[in-house]
Amino acid sequence: MTDKEILQKIEQSVKDSENWEVYHHLTDSLGSPALILRKTNTNADSLGVNIDVFKGYAYLFLDNGTPAEPGKPFSVQTLSSLNALTELLDMARPYIKR
């Protein structure tokens, strides 16, 4: 499976998600596809994460920046944020390096 196909599968999971939405599509400095996700039901840009796919594996950055410019870290302070984080990890799990 190509990096782009992996990202498309993750994006489909995000579309089916109750807790996340795609905020931005990007390409990292090495040319790998990436997504910035934002927690739904909020307009706070600080409640985002970054999923980067490189050489067949997903890398999950718990901030709303890019690998070159990290942003504010995703914070778990409520049960809804904990549920969102659990769902996020479940979406990325099949593509994370073992």
Side-chain angles (χ1 to χ4, degrees), residues 1 13 34 41 45 48 52 55 59 63 65 73 76-77 88 94 97:
M1 191 177 296
S13 295
N41 302 321
D45 291 339
D52 195 354
K55 293 188 178 182
Y59 296 87
D63 66 38
V76 176
Q77 297 178 8
L88 177 67
K97 192 174 186 177

Side-chain angles (χ1 to χ4, degrees), residues 7-66:
L7 202 66
Q8 288 171 342
K9 294 245 184 216
I10 292 170
E11 186 172 2
Q12 184 57 50
S13 295
V14 170
K15 288 178 181 176
D16 297 337
S17 166
E18 294 181 15
N19 295 297
W20 296 98
E21 62 189 12
V22 174
Y23 179 67
H24 187 58
H25 291 86
L26 61 114
T27 303
D28 72 10
S29 60
L30 298 175
S32 299
L35 290 174
I36 294 179
L37 307 182
R38 182 169 60 185
K39 192 171 180 288
T40 56
N41 302 321
T42 182
N43 60 1
D45 291 339
S46 62
L47 296 176
V49 299
N50 183 341
I51 298 177
D52 195 354
V53 180
F54 180 69
K55 293 188 178 182
Y57 295 107
Y59 296 87
L60 183 58
F61 298 92
L62 297 178
D63 66 38
N64 64 336
T66 65

